[in-house]
Amino acid sequence: MSANVLVTGAGGFVGYHLVKYLVRSGYRVRAVDLHPPEYEESPAHEFEVLDLRQFEHCLIATRGIAEVYHLAADMGGIGYITAYHASITRNNALINLHMLEATRENGVRRFLFSSSACVYPQYLQKSADVTPLKEADAWPADPEEGYGLEKLFTEKACQYYREDFGLETRVVRFHNVYGPLGTYDGGKEKAPAAICRKVALAPDGGEIEVWGDGEQTRSFMYVDDCVEGIYRIMQSDSPEPLNLGTDELVTINQLVDTVAAIAGKRISLCHDLSQPQGVRGRNSDNTRLRRVLGWEPRTPLRQGLIPTYRWIEGELRKHGRIPMRAFASESIAVQQPVRTPAPGAV
Ligand code: NAD
Ligand code: GDC
């Protein structure tokens, strides 16, 4: 069996999928979170419930570990991260500084930090027809308040720990990740999961609420690409921040159209301009990623949304929120994605 690795945030969306990927790849995995995964049991060899805001818990988490995949964070979609600036900043700053220091004290070799496209300056993201963001664009800084600013700070802390203490750090800027077993309700959900939920709950010919005018743009990355990219970046020799996302730019209205087509429903939109919208446009420039890895995320949005929609629809039906007769997509022939989704997820 390969080296002992730690995944923090392993009770969350990306962490759950990453643990599965690493276990399948032969690693012995310790998983840590405030809670176990909500939808499926973690395949980790050990799962420890710890609060990484506390330094002593970070020391427990990192004992005997060779590589740390650090994903734990207080995070959510744009509605959540714009509503809780103070607590998100406090929680994430405590988690990240304590994790870096515990990693150093316990002699861990490598530390991967899950940063975000939210570090990029708001002044570069004012147009829906946005120029894809290069890693160097992060400075001069004007990141998303709270969540984005803290991520940018921790990116720098990783650099300082590498320069001053020789800790091999890797910094990955995720662009909006979606897929089965991601939060789809409760206030922390991001646009793909929220739209899947709304479409699944709507009757054929019904209406759903969309935040903003729907002409704002994003690129979305399927979770299987995300975990493969995380692993590849950890193995690379590049300590500089790297984008991890696709450059398939879509409007939110196009996202809704795609989900509605997968569901086989005619859906009309009610745009609510009073809801949080974040930046007007955001896309990933993958030039550096391609140069470093010779690889980039490739799953087309429609392909990744098929298992995502089916999983969310299945969850809603399991919880009695969709009547059996409204379970439309079962009768529709849809193309399966090339990659295998999580067992039991579709
Ligand atoms: P998630 O919310 O599903 O998972 C994060 C996990 O961290 C949660 O399970 C949470 O319980 C855990 N956590 C929070 N505070 C903790 C604490 N004090 N101690 C221990 N665990 C704690 O989020 P995700 O989508 O899986 O994101 C993973 C990482 O990727 C995060 O760092 C996030 O900021 C980053 N990221 C994600 C996206 C995305 O689109 N999903 C985009 C950019 C960056
Ligand atoms: O929440 P999010 O996916 O985050 O929203 C994308 C866009 O979709 C926003 O403009 C939002 O107004 C719009 N939108 C329309 N309807 C809805 O029902 C809805 N729910 C949600 N949530 N959005 C809707 C994210 C951060 C993450 C992470 C990534 C990195 O910002 O929230 O924490 O760091 O960025 O790419 P988004 O893309 O603005």
Side-chain angles (χ1 to χ4, degrees):
M1 187 166 282
S2 305
N4 283 354
V5 298
L6 168 66
V7 177
T8 72
F13 169 46
V14 180
Y16 166 83
H17 288 277
L18 179 63
V19 167
K20 195 165 65 174
Y21 182 93
L22 292 169
V23 168
R24 280 184 182 165
S25 304
Y27 286 84
R28 180 169 173 79
V29 180
R30 178 181 300 151
V32 164
D33 202 300
L34 289 171
H35 54 73
E38 197 176 340
Y39 310 111
E40 301 271 341
E41 196 178 334
S42 175
H45 298 91
E46 305 167 48
F47 195 101
E48 297 193 352
V49 173
L50 295 170
D51 183 346
L52 299 174
R53 287 171 298 189
Q54 298 182 38
F55 181 58
E56 293 69 26
H57 287 209
C58 295
L59 284 174
I60 295 168
T62 50
R63 70 198 189 284
I65 289 292
E67 296 179 346
V68 172
Y69 293 86
H70 177 43
L71 273 60
D74 184 2
M75 76 86 70
I78 196 67
Y80 183 79
I81 64 169
T82 51
Y84 303 105
H85 287 152
S87 53
I88 287 174
T89 302
R90 182 194 63 230
N91 290 336
N92 290 343
L94 287 170
I95 292 170
N96 291 332
L97 288 182
H98 285 155
M99 274 300 299
L100 269 170
E101 181 58 14
T103 291
R104 181 184 77 85
E105 279 199 21
N106 274 328
V108 172
R109 284 202 308 264
R110 283 190 181 212
F111 179 92
L112 180 140
F113 174 56
S114 52
S115 187
S116 167
C118 287
V119 302
Y120 286 113
Q122 299 180 65
Y123 59 78
L124 293 178
Q125 302 173 83
K126 290 190 179 304
S127 160
D129 184 23
V130 62
T131 303
L133 295 154
K134 289 189 177 61
E135 287 81 354
D137 290 335
W139 300 91
D142 177 23
E144 184 78 43
E145 288 287 344
Y147 174 78
L149 181 58
E150 194 286 329
K151 289 282 191 194
L152 197 56
F153 168 77
T154 298
E155 287 192 2
K156 274 289 175 189
C158 288
Q159 179 193 325
Y160 303 148
Y161 267 69
R162 191 180 74 249
E163 291 168 351
D164 292 5
F165 302 130
L167 175 64
E168 277 293 328
T169 54
R170 302 286 177 266
V171 173
V172 191
R173 293 178 183 158
F174 298 165
H175 290 249
N176 208 317
V177 191
Y178 70 97
L181 286 81
T183 304
Y184 63 89
D185 212 350
K188 287 190 169 184
E189 65 278 12
K190 289 175 274 77
I195 299 300
C196 286
R197 183 195 75 235
K198 290 176 182 183
V199 169
L201 291 174
D204 187 18
E207 181 180 87
I208 68 163
E209 180 193 281
V210 172
W211 298 358
D213 66 3
E215 292 304 310
Q216 65 271 44
T217 53
R218 296 289 186 277
S219 71
F220 298 102
M221 167 170 55
Y222 190 56
V223 67
D224 286 5
D225 284 336
C226 181
V227 296
E228 183 176 350
I230 291 171
Y231 180 71
R232 285 172 178 267
I233 291 169
M234 180 66 115
Q235 304 312 315
S236 78
D237 55 9
S238 169
E240 301 304 324
L242 283 168
N243 280 331
L244 187 58
T246 74
D247 52 12
E248 182 186 353
L249 190 69
V250 295
T251 68
I252 300 302
N253 288 333
Q254 288 168 335
L255 173 68
V256 178
D257 289 346
T258 306
V259 173
I262 291 166
K265 293 181 182 178
R266 287 160 297 135
I267 295 289
S268 56
L269 313 188
C270 166
H271 291 111
D272 186 345
L273 301 183
S274 71
Q275 296 292 345
Q277 290 149 57
V279 295
R280 187 64 176 159
R282 173 176 290 152
N283 198 3
S284 178
D285 182 316
N286 288 347
T287 309
R288 187 189 282 179
L289 184 72
R290 279 192 296 268
R291 196 183 67 235
V292 170
L293 297 184
W295 175 93
E296 66 188 307
R298 282 266 172 237
T299 306
L301 180 61
R302 186 178 191 283
Q303 188 173 303
L305 281 173
I306 293 170
T308 307
Y309 179 80
R310 283 188 168 173
W311 178 77
I312 290 172
E313 188 185 51
E315 284 292 301
L316 292 167
R317 184 168 64 155
K318 199 162 76 189
H319 295 291
R321 294 177 61 187
I322 302 181
M324 295 299 282
R325 64 187 154 73
F327 196 53
S329 78
E330 266 189 353
S331 59
I332 307 236
V334 280
Q335 187 197 343
Q336 283 293 330
V338 175
R339 290 162 211 275
T340 314
V346 290

